[in-house]
Amino acid sequence: MSATPFLQAEHLDTHYGQSHVLHDVSVAIAPGETLGLLGRNGMGKTTLIRTLVGHVRPSRGTVRVLGEDCTGERPDRIIRRGIAYVPEGRGVFPNLSVRENLTMAARPGRDGRQHWTFERVMQTFPRLSERLSHGGQQLSGGEQQMLAIGRALMTNPDLLILDEATEGLAPLIVREIWRIIGAIRATGIASLIVDRNYIAVIEHSDRCVVLEKGRLVVDRPSWQLAKDQSTLARHLGV
């Protein structure tokens, strides 16, 4: 892995009004690395993601992409640096067809590469190939999630951020989503994954960090954290 992190946050403090949500959070993701972001509900995971991609401006600290300071930049400018974000709730355009949702996002990657073509997304998500003319609102929750991930890949990102990718989905679809996440990881795209299923996150990541009340309390290789049941019980309530 490169010595320069692809994405790096240092000493972040983030507020919502008078509410102090993130406290001195520092985290980095290397090129090609998959990082699991864990924590109970309300501990600041989504706020951290929203701070990283510019939806929330930190009150202190810096965010860098490949060493370049992008703190406070507009989200679209940060995303253009090679990040794809699949938010909780998916954000599928309901009045556009599956094909239109995908093609409207298509663009070369930061270095001009176009590894993720429409055809490759169809191969990765064969279910979507059967519903190309369907509107976003006509898809099941699982199909919408596949569409949201596929649309993100059409931007040919260096880093894919997934916030609660399997929430509310049927077990069979959940297994399929994790299969797809594993396949994406194998291509060398870096990932930041948030999901309530900590076992699956650990299994599909290289390293995990845990937030508790907006503070980073754990940062370990995933294989090591998987063996530490006392830490999992203390911070995740399992």
Side-chain angles (χ1 to χ4, degrees):
M1 292 185 180
S2 169
T4 301
F6 178 77
L7 178 65
Q8 185 174 27
E10 295 179 303
H11 306 296
L12 291 182
D13 280 273
T14 298
H15 291 74
Y16 287 133
Q18 297 299 313
S19 179
H20 194 169
V21 181
L22 297 182
H23 302 261
D24 196 28
V25 173
S26 296
V27 66
I29 305 172
E33 180 181 36
T34 297
L35 180 70
L37 176 56
L38 302 174
R40 298 186 184 95
N41 288 342
M43 293 298 170
K45 302 186 299 297
T46 295
T47 297
L48 175 56
I49 288 175
R50 289 174 58 81
T51 303
L52 293 175
V53 299
H55 286 296
V56 180
R57 187 184 182 101
S59 49
R60 184 176 75 100
T62 58
V63 177
R64 292 185 173 88
V65 176
L66 288 174
E68 295 185 9
D69 190 343
C70 57
T71 312
E73 285 190 3
R74 296 198 320 248
D76 62 301
R77 292 185 176 178
I78 295 177
I79 292 296
R80 287 280 180 177
R81 294 173 181 263
I83 299 171
Y85 175 32
V86 181
E88 185 177 6
R90 302 166 192 131
V92 167
F93 294 106
N95 296 325
L96 298 183
S97 69
V98 167
R99 182 186 294 275
E100 289 167 339
N101 265 279
L102 293 171
T103 56
M104 60 84 63
R107 66 172 185 262
R110 180 179 50 82
D111 58 359
R113 72 193 182 289
Q114 299 186 61
H115 296 159
W116 285 95
T117 61
F118 181 83
E119 291 73 21
R120 185 174 183 181
V121 170
M122 289 298 96
Q123 293 171 0
T124 305
F125 304 90
R127 184 186 293 254
L128 294 181
S129 67
E130 303 168 0
R131 291 162 172 76
L132 287 177
S133 62
H134 287 55
Q137 80 279 9
Q138 295 176 291
L139 304 180
S140 68
E143 290 164 351
Q144 288 185 0
Q145 189 63 65
M146 293 177 191
L147 177 56
I149 297 172
R151 185 179 60 188
L153 292 172
M154 290 287 288
T155 69
N156 286 279
D158 296 284
L159 171 66
L160 177 64
I161 299 177
L162 298 173
D163 192 0
E164 299 290 357
T166 68
E167 184 178 11
L169 303 181
L172 185 64
I173 299 298
V174 168
R175 287 195 293 272
E176 177 66 6
I177 294 294
W178 283 115
R179 181 196 67 78
I180 291 166
I181 290 172
I184 293 170
R185 181 187 179 197
T187 68
I189 295 176
S191 299
L192 174 60
I193 302 175
V194 175
D195 199 274
R196 295 180 186 181
N197 185 344
Y198 82 93
I199 295 176
V201 172
I202 290 173
E203 180 182 347
H204 289 85
S205 61
D206 301 301
R207 187 165 54 90
C208 284
V209 296
V210 179
L211 282 179
E212 185 169 284
K213 296 181 180 179
R215 300 180 187 276
L216 195 70
V217 294
V218 174
D219 184 346
R220 294 187 192 173
S222 297
W223 66 267
Q224 187 182 89
L225 182 60
K227 296 179 178 180
D228 190 346
Q229 292 301 312
S230 63
T231 294
L232 293 172
R234 182 164 65 255
H235 298 299
L236 301 175
V238 295

